[in-house]
């Protein structure tokens, strides 16, 4: 049998810290939307935050992938 290539499971403290930071960041996005009286789309940001917090070692969780994916989806949403 071959060993699994999955990353090691993070400790509970790491998960709690990552969850708290994710919630705080999403609340900051909601607050920014409330300040400008324009709702900001949160589901794509929440999915990215969950991916980064839950599996930071995966290629899709790397900054280039997350920022590039968010920019590409924003450009696609604003294109005519």
């Amino acid at each position: 049998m071959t060993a699994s290539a999955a990353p090691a499971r993070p400790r509970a403290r790491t998960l709690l810290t990552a969850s708290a930071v994710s919630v705080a960041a999403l609340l900051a996005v909601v607050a920014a939307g409330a300040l400008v009286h324009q709702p900001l789309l949160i589901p794509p940001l929440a999915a990215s935050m969950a991916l980064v917090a839950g599996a930071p070692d995966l290629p899709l969780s790397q900054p280039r992938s997350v920022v590039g994916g968010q920019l590409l989806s924003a450009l696609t949403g604003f294109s005519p």
Side-chain angles (χ1 to χ4, degrees), residues 45-76:
L45 295 174
S48 293
M49 290 294 278
L51 188 63
V52 170
D57 294 331
L58 293 178
L60 291 175
S61 299
Q62 300 308 306
R64 179 179 62 192
S65 298
V66 173
V67 173
Q70 292 295 326
L71 288 175
L72 182 63
S73 65
L75 290 173
T76 302

Side-chain angles (χ1 to χ4, degrees), residues 29-57:
V29 170
V30 170
L35 285 174
V36 297
H37 304 291
Q38 184 76 359
L40 302 175
L41 295 178
I42 295 176
L45 295 174
S48 293
M49 290 294 278
L51 188 63
V52 170
D57 294 331

Side-chain angles (χ1 to χ4, degrees), residues 13-29 49 52-53:
R13 183 175 181 181
T14 303
L15 289 175
L16 288 174
T17 303
S19 296
V21 169
S22 297
V23 168
L26 291 172
L27 288 174
V29 170
M49 290 294 278
V52 170

